[in-house]
Amino acid sequence: MHVIPASKVRGSSPSRKTVLPVTPALKLEDESTHFRCKTLKRKNNDDGASVPNRKRNVKTLVKTDYVIEFKRIIKEGEYLPEQVFNAAEMTLFWKRMPGQTYISRNERCAPGFKASKDRLTILLCANARGDCIIMPMLLYHSFNPRALKNKDKDNMSVFWRFNTNSWLNRCIFREWFHQCFVPGVEGYLTSKQLPFKALLLLDNAPTHPRDLTHSYPNIKVEFLPPQMVPILQPLTDAFKRYYTMCTFRRILNAVKSDPEGDLDKCWKEYNIAHCIENIREAIDEVTESTINACWKKLWSEAVNEFSMLPDVEEEVRRILRLAWQFGGEGFVDMKHTEVEELLASHNVQLTNEEVEEMQKIEIVDSNSDSKADTLNLENLSELRNDLTSITDRIFAMDPVKQRSLEFKKGMEVLCRPYNELYKRLRQSAKGEPIPRFYQVKKSCTSITPFNTSKSITSTTTTEAKATVTTSRA
């Protein structure tokens, strides 16, 4: 069949498209060419449907290559599972209930900043053996919240730090590394009678300083590629479940202790101090087996054959059983998916507007009376009198004298640190010097302070021939 050019067709114009007939031979040739091109694309992984498979193969290849590289590092450094640590930070919305509960619904209708969006950052660190957990760091947007007013931030169960946006930065991470990680690892390895050397694994985030490798010659810092970070993620996921469980258990106990049994009241009284206690309790519930099993995909040789990850379904059911006891809308009919949504919501980032709103919260009440919140001389005196009165009443009312006597002795032992603090505050109020060191004489039962001055010889009288020597501090 002859094909007529489009320009010679009657009534046609250059701007008008003309459909011309196609011979069967030409059509068959086009189909075969298309089939060969499609086959060639599939072989070269150029087809769109094969791209996810190619990406998956690349990720698998990267993981395999790094596992080989990691084992080489372990072999060269001769590291034991006790000496290999992993640190990872996570975001925690510490005062959040499932979205379908009436507490969350009422909060969404209320004006102002939502307590469910109040967040903090936690840094968890543990070794591959699972028997050493370094002191966790808690990063909050306020250094002195109302619930922690007049509390000693340096003697807490967490390494307390603050940043206005609750985000980790290099300076804060260095503080945790030098003040918590290094002394914690050194003390742990000394107790195990192992040499002081360690390998710390971190994700490749900009908040982790690159110069940590040169800080201590005995500590090597290795940065994980992005594909390897989810491998060690079961530890943080388990912590979120345990924290939710501890929070529900605490609120349930508070409701049972409250005469009115008001859940709203107990939930409003839940503050950051209670959150810190729950964090410590949740970390204690993470078993050695769970931590050790997290290393199975990266370092299978270090995993004990009896170590295994916890049953997620069973732990979610434990959370549900606690929630069902609350009663009320959204609790009695809470479902498995709602708990999963609550656990997954900790990974959602706040918007810039929500962060700015969180920073404007008035944390410390400057008009509150700090006198009633401190262990001053007056408050300690009242507490001592109350405890003495309670002890005397129990001792007089209890018919079993042996039991009441043991109670009285136990109270004396428990109150001993506060009695010593009371005595020091009394001496300070009277203007007397507070002795720092004490020495017990063998000749008598009195306690005399150490003398920090040099040896002094008295020559004014014949009776003063003895030389008062100082003891070694």
Side-chain angles (χ1 to χ4, degrees):
M1 179 178 180
H2 181 67
V3 180
I4 303 175
S7 57
K8 295 184 179 181
V9 177
R10 183 177 298 179
S12 63
S13 63
S15 60
R16 181 181 298 177
K17 295 182 180 180
T18 305
V19 180
L20 299 178
V22 181
T23 60
L26 182 60
K27 185 177 181 180
L28 181 62
E29 182 180 359
D30 291 341
E31 289 180 354
S32 61
T33 304
H34 175 71
F35 176 77
R36 288 196 300 270
C37 293
K38 188 175 182 179
T39 305
L40 184 62
K41 287 181 180 181
R42 186 181 294 110
K43 289 183 179 180
N44 295 332
N45 289 329
D46 291 334
D47 192 10
S50 302
V51 170
N53 296 330
R54 183 179 60 179
K55 290 183 178 180
R56 184 162 51 250
N57 294 335
V58 171
K59 291 182 179 180
T60 305
L61 183 62
V62 171
K63 291 181 181 179
T64 305
D65 292 344
Y66 186 80
V67 169
I68 298 174
E69 175 67 15
F70 176 76
K71 292 182 178 180
R72 184 190 63 80
I73 297 173
I74 294 295
K75 185 177 180 180
E76 290 182 357
E78 297 180 353
Y79 293 108
L80 300 174
E82 290 84 355
Q83 298 169 327
V84 181
F85 292 79
N86 173 56
E89 61 268 13
M90 54 168 288
T91 302
L92 182 70
F93 293 94
W94 61 275
K95 196 171 183 179
R96 175 172 289 185
M97 280 284 185
Q100 301 301 324
T101 60
Y102 73 92
I103 291 180
S104 298
R105 292 179 180 178
N106 295 339
E107 184 186 43
R108 287 194 292 267
C109 298
F113 181 74
K114 317 302 181 189
S116 60
K117 296 181 179 179
D118 194 4
R119 72 177 180 187
L120 51 84
T121 301
I122 300 177
L123 179 67
L124 300 177
C125 180
N127 64 348
R129 177 65 65 190
D131 60 346
C132 178
I133 299 179
I134 306 299
M135 175 178 287
M137 178 175 64
L138 191 152
L139 189 62
Y140 197 49
H141 59 81
S142 173
F143 176 74
N144 193 30
R146 185 180 292 107
L148 299 179
K149 190 177 180 181
N150 301 318
K151 302 294 183 182
D152 188 3
K153 309 298 189 303
D154 296 330
N155 292 318
M156 300 178 67
S157 58
V158 295
F159 186 66
W160 178 266
R161 285 297 180 268
F162 83 103
N163 194 3
T164 54
N165 52 18
S166 300
W167 288 337
L168 184 65
N169 56 38
R170 295 185 179 184
C171 180
I172 297 177
F173 188 88
R174 283 194 185 96
E175 293 181 3
W176 174 84
F177 180 80
H178 294 294
Q179 300 182 32
C180 295
F181 179 77
V182 175
V185 171
E186 185 176 6
Y188 163 75
L189 295 178
T190 302
S191 65
K192 293 287 186 178
Q193 297 181 356
L194 295 174
F196 175 45
K197 65 176 181 179
L199 173 64
L200 176 61
L201 301 181
L202 300 173
D203 58 46
N204 199 11
T207 55
H208 299 153
R210 297 300 184 270
D211 57 354
L212 293 177
T213 309
H214 310 291
S215 301
Y216 294 90
N218 298 333
I219 297 179
K220 179 180 177 60
V221 181
E222 180 73 15
F223 296 95
L224 295 170
Q227 293 82 1
M228 300 301 298
V229 175
I231 288 181
L232 300 175
Q233 193 174 359
L235 175 60
T236 56
D237 293 340
F239 170 80
K240 294 175 184 178
R241 294 192 297 270
Y242 293 143
Y243 174 80
T244 305
M245 201 179 306
C246 295
T247 303
F248 280 22
R249 189 184 302 122
R250 174 182 287 273
I251 300 302
L252 182 61
N253 294 334
V255 171
K256 292 181 179 179
S257 302
D258 186 47
E260 301 178 356
D262 190 354
L263 178 59
D264 289 334
K265 175 185 175 183
C266 297
W267 181 243
K268 290 179 181 179
E269 293 177 352
Y270 181 72
N271 53 45
I272 190 66
H274 302 145
C275 169
I276 295 175
E277 296 177 4
N278 287 345
I279 289 174
R280 186 73 260 179
E281 185 178 350
I283 292 176
D284 293 339
E285 289 196 16
V286 181
T287 62
E288 297 182 12
S289 175
T290 300
I291 301 175
N292 183 241
C294 294
W295 294 78
K296 187 174 183 178
K297 295 183 179 180
L298 180 61
W299 192 12
S300 58
E301 294 81 3
V303 179
N304 192 307
E305 59 179 350
F306 300 104
S307 297
M308 57 189 308
L309 293 174
D311 188 356
V312 179
E313 299 293 332
E314 176 59 28
E315 292 180 350
V316 172
R317 283 194 292 268
R318 291 171 59 187
I319 297 174
L320 285 174
R321 285 193 290 267
L322 291 172
W324 292 337
Q325 299 181 50
F326 287 145
E329 183 182 358
F331 288 103
V332 294
D333 55 348
M334 186 178 295
K335 299 180 181 180
H336 189 282
T337 56
E338 297 178 23
V339 177
E340 292 181 344
E341 291 176 359
L342 173 64
L343 298 174
S345 66
H346 295 289
N347 300 326
V348 179
Q349 298 295 330
L350 296 178
T351 63
N352 295 332
E353 292 77 9
E354 291 172 339
V355 173
E356 293 177 357
E357 193 175 1
M358 181 181 65
Q359 295 172 355
K360 296 178 182 179
I361 301 176
E362 185 66 24
I363 299 299
V364 179
D365 187 6
S366 58
N367 298 324
S368 62
D369 186 13
S370 61
K371 180 180 178 181
D373 300 329
T374 57
L375 285 176
N376 52 29
L377 184 60
E378 182 180 352
N379 293 336
L380 276 175
S381 178
E382 295 178 0
L383 291 175
R384 291 176 75 250
N385 293 335
D386 295 339
L387 292 174
T388 303
S389 176
I390 293 174
T391 304
D392 293 341
R393 289 187 61 188
I394 292 178
F395 188 78
M397 296 169 59
D398 193 350
V400 183
K401 294 302 178 184
Q402 182 64 25
R403 180 174 57 192
S404 60
L405 184 61
E406 292 178 359
F407 173 78
K408 186 174 183 180
K409 291 181 179 179
M411 288 296 296
E412 291 177 356
V413 174
L414 293 175
C415 296
R416 187 176 299 166
Y418 297 100
N419 290 333
E420 294 177 357
L421 177 61
Y422 176 75
K423 293 177 181 179
R424 291 199 298 268
L425 291 177
R426 283 192 63 185
Q427 292 178 358
S428 177
K430 293 180 180 179
E432 300 177 1
I434 301 178
R436 188 174 181 180
F437 304 101
Y438 294 90
Q439 181 183 21
V440 180
K441 291 185 177 181
K442 296 181 180 180
S443 58
C444 60
T445 58
S446 62
I447 299 177
T448 57
F450 278 143
N451 187 2
T452 57
S453 61
K454 293 183 179 180
S455 300
I456 302 174
T457 304
S458 176
T459 57
T460 56
T461 60
T462 57
E463 297 178 355
K465 294 181 180 181
T467 303
V468 181
T469 58
T470 62
S471 63
R472 295 184 180 90

